[in-house]
Amino acid sequence: MTTQQQLALDQITDLLDQREFLRLKKLLRSLDTPEVVEIIQEQEEKEQLILFRLLPLKRAIEVFEYLEREVQRHFLENLSQEKIADILNEMSPDDRTALLEFLPDDLVRELIQTLSEQERRVTLELLGYPEYSVGRLMTPDYIAIREGWTVQQVLDYLREHGGQSETLSVLYVTDERGVLLDDIRIRQILLAQPTQPISEMMDRRFVRLKARQDQEEAIEVFRKNDRTALPVVNEDGVLFGIVTIDDILAIREEEDTEDIQKLGGSEALDEPYLLTSVGQMVKKRAGWLVLLLIGEMLTASAMGHFEEEIQKAVVLASFIPLIISSGGNSGSQAVTLVIRALSLGEISLSDWWLIMRREVLSGLALGAILGVVGFARIAVWANIFNEYGPYWQLVGATVALSLMGIVLWGTLAGSMLPLLLKRLGLDPATSSAPFVATLVDVTGLIMYFTLASWLLSGTLL
């Protein structure tokens, strides 16, 4: 919060305490919508309602659309039916649909009844699309024109109907059946001669989304085409609505948050962190922790299997944390890089061989670097502090070669597991960094002691 916003917040708090509602109303009008949103969300629930009721209807609708979902829900449960109806009917259909998805079913049914017949029809239509489809994001508020019109006719139409559109940056050319023929940027219209026909400005090359297309695919289409809005059509090419960049950015933020939470080794939270109950938090995290604990039990079992070697050469045990952490760290790096690249559309399943080849080369190089560092550490301690005995070179070689093998295995496991999960139709983000690290821990120990048994046989073992 800026200094100016903080001063406004302090002033509003004082006016609330003094019940100076007329001065408060005047002050709220002098603030920008984002400032009012932030100030409302800083207040307690009772004060939030007071401030919101002081806003004129048009401003209240603007503010309402930007409030957090929990605050919106609180308002809907406490405002008058008349005010709720005014707000919901004036909200853009896509924002209204997103809000209704968040609310419980009984409240949704009640709120839908407050909508006008036209808005109710639009809302029910949007809610009828699959949960994560583009249809849930689209708004039917756009400007459609005909190819037979002139630029002057388009401008006249915009003056009359432009205020109803979500955005005026792009106009959509349709035929008499509503089939999308082209899209034209408003800049072209403004710079053209008034008598020029729209048909002369059309190239019939346009990007569109399908109503039942997955939202993640829509994110990629927006990213590749650098658009602020895209048209949405049905299977017959009929224009149903548009999706704007603000909705796509919101979905992208949700997707990124979900992936990050899964990468950390827990299920994605359904609500913001502070709004998630402790019980839900435990439920979301316990499953993964139990799974990881079982994996670490396998690590303990692997160490038990090599107990005899450890007793004969206690020096081997001192390098276990170094060995397994290096493999886990390399696996965590690889899984994070690959999942992010998948999310950004930089790689696909068909690139698996290219990815494997790159990770083999990277794993060998990284393993060699860590192997040299590990061997150098043993050599220094052996010569300066006389540790590791007369066979320190063999101990150093064991650690160095183990590091090379385990780091290579970690990078391969971390890079291939997300691709395998995606191939099976699962979320790649579930191959979390802790999961990969645990997997590499078990196999890394087996690799380390197997190599030690071979290299140190007849000396320390």
Side-chain angles (χ1 to χ4, degrees):
M1 182 176 291
T2 65
T3 304
Q4 183 178 357
Q5 289 173 328
Q6 185 60 51
L7 290 173
L9 177 59
D10 294 339
Q11 190 175 357
I12 284 173
T13 303
D14 292 338
L15 292 175
L16 278 170
D17 292 339
Q18 299 166 16
R19 293 297 186 258
E20 293 282 352
F21 295 132
L22 289 178
R23 292 173 59 192
L24 194 55
K25 191 173 184 178
K26 184 177 180 181
L27 177 59
L28 288 173
R29 286 181 177 178
S30 68
L31 299 175
D32 295 332
T33 297
E35 293 176 325
V36 176
V37 170
E38 189 163 357
I39 286 171
I40 287 178
Q41 291 181 161
E42 289 288 331
Q43 304 295 323
E44 298 295 327
E45 289 186 346
K46 183 180 178 181
E47 283 72 25
Q48 287 177 343
L49 276 170
I50 293 173
L51 292 177
F52 190 75
R53 288 190 175 112
L54 291 174
L55 297 172
L57 178 60
K58 185 177 180 181
R59 189 70 180 283
I61 294 167
E62 293 177 4
V63 169
F64 187 86
E65 291 190 352
Y66 289 99
L67 291 170
E68 293 176 354
R69 291 283 181 248
E70 282 294 335
V71 180
Q72 289 180 331
R73 178 174 178 174
H74 171 63
F75 285 176
L76 293 175
E77 291 173 346
N78 290 276
L79 292 172
S80 66
Q81 287 291 324
E82 183 180 355
K83 185 109 177 180
I84 291 173
D86 289 337
I87 291 172
L88 291 180
N89 278 298
E90 293 299 326
M91 284 181 72
S92 59
D94 51 336
D95 289 333
R96 183 171 58 231
T97 301
L99 170 61
L100 294 178
E101 286 178 341
F102 169 76
L103 301 174
D105 292 341
D106 55 344
L107 182 56
V108 169
R109 285 192 294 270
E110 181 181 335
L111 293 175
I112 285 178
Q113 298 306 314
T114 67
L115 299 174
S116 65
E117 183 178 348
Q118 180 181 356
E119 295 300 330
R120 187 185 306 128
R121 177 180 57 79
V122 171
T123 299
L124 290 174
E125 186 176 335
L126 291 178
L127 287 172
Y129 288 105
E131 184 175 358
Y132 297 107
S133 67
V134 170
R136 290 292 188 98
L137 299 178
M138 72 179 183
T139 173
D141 297 333
Y142 58 89
I143 295 296
I145 60 178
R146 299 296 175 85
E147 61 179 323
W149 292 3
T150 64
V151 169
Q152 185 59 56
Q153 286 177 297
V154 171
L155 292 174
D156 292 340
Y157 186 80
L158 283 175
R159 291 189 187 97
E160 185 176 352
H161 301 284
Q164 303 170 10
S165 177
E166 179 89 358
T167 176
L168 291 176
S169 59
V170 181
L171 309 180
Y172 302 96
V173 186
T174 60
D175 63 15
E176 63 278 357
R177 295 184 298 112
V179 175
L180 181 63
L181 303 177
D182 204 354
D183 58 2
I184 298 179
R185 294 179 185 271
I186 192 65
R187 186 174 186 272
Q188 295 175 259
I189 300 291
L190 295 176
L191 296 178
Q193 293 298 321
T195 57
Q196 184 177 0
I198 295 300
S199 57
E200 293 183 2
M201 306 172 69
M202 295 170 57
D203 58 13
R204 298 184 186 273
R205 294 198 303 267
F206 57 91
V207 181
R208 86 286 183 272
L209 300 170
K210 290 189 175 181
R212 296 189 176 275
Q213 191 172 355
D214 190 88
Q215 292 174 0
E216 287 194 28
E217 296 177 14
I219 294 173
E220 184 63 18
V221 176
F222 266 89
R223 188 184 69 83
K224 286 183 176 179
N225 293 279
D226 190 26
R227 295 296 185 94
T228 57
L230 282 176
V232 182
V233 301
N234 67 1
E235 297 299 326
D236 298 320
V238 175
L239 180 61
F240 267 27
I242 63 172
V243 173
T244 52
I245 188 65
D246 59 323
D247 297 311
I248 290 298
L249 290 175
I251 294 298
R252 185 55 186 264
E253 183 181 3
E254 291 176 8
E255 294 290 341
D256 288 347
T257 300
E258 182 178 324
D259 287 348
I260 291 170
Q261 289 171 347
K262 287 181 178 179
L263 276 173
S266 71
E267 294 182 41
L269 301 181
D270 299 322
E271 295 179 317
Y273 177 82
L274 291 178
L275 297 179
T276 303
S277 67
V278 175
Q280 279 295 317
M281 192 76 72
V282 171
K283 183 179 178 182
K284 294 288 186 181
R285 296 162 67 176
W288 271 106
L289 288 177
V290 170
L291 183 62
L292 295 173
L293 177 62
I294 293 173
E296 294 298 344
M297 288 178 180
L298 296 176
T299 303
S301 299
M303 291 184 64
H305 180 75
F306 293 101
E307 185 177 359
E308 184 178 347
E309 285 81 356
I310 295 175
Q311 289 177 346
K312 290 181 180 179
V314 179
V315 66
L316 295 176
S318 62
F319 293 104
I320 290 176
L322 180 148
I323 295 294
I324 62 176
S325 65
S326 297
N329 290 341
S330 65
S332 299
Q333 286 182 336
V335 74
T336 303
L337 292 173
V338 169
I339 288 176
R340 187 57 179 162
L342 282 170
S343 175
L344 294 175
E346 297 173 349
I347 59 175
S348 62
L349 291 178
S350 59
D351 298 319
W352 72 271
W353 172 246
L354 178 62
I355 297 168
M356 177 180 282
R357 187 174 64 184
R358 289 171 61 87
E359 289 302 323
V360 166
L361 295 175
S362 298
L364 286 173
L366 293 170
I369 292 171
L370 296 186
V372 168
V373 173
F375 187 89
R377 192 271 189 194
I378 292 173
V380 170
W381 260 246
N383 287 281
I384 295 179
F385 303 109
N386 199 29
E387 292 189 17
Y388 311 127
Y391 302 108
W392 67 264
Q393 296 96 334
L394 290 176
V395 174
T398 300
V399 171
L401 292 174
S402 296
L403 283 170
M404 289 185 64
I406 290 168
V407 170
L408 173 60
W409 165 239
T411 57
L412 283 175
S415 59
M416 293 295 106
L417 187 56
L419 298 178
L420 176 61
L421 290 175
K422 189 173 180 65
R423 180 68 180 84
L424 295 174
L426 303 174
D427 187 352
T430 54
S431 56
S432 64
F435 179 76
V436 172
T438 303
L439 174 66
V440 175
D441 284 353
V442 179
T443 52
L445 279 175
I446 296 173
M447 191 182 302
Y448 175 49
F449 284 109
T450 301
L451 189 61
S453 299
W454 177 55
L455 288 177
L456 299 177
S457 179
T459 54
L460 292 178
L461 299 178

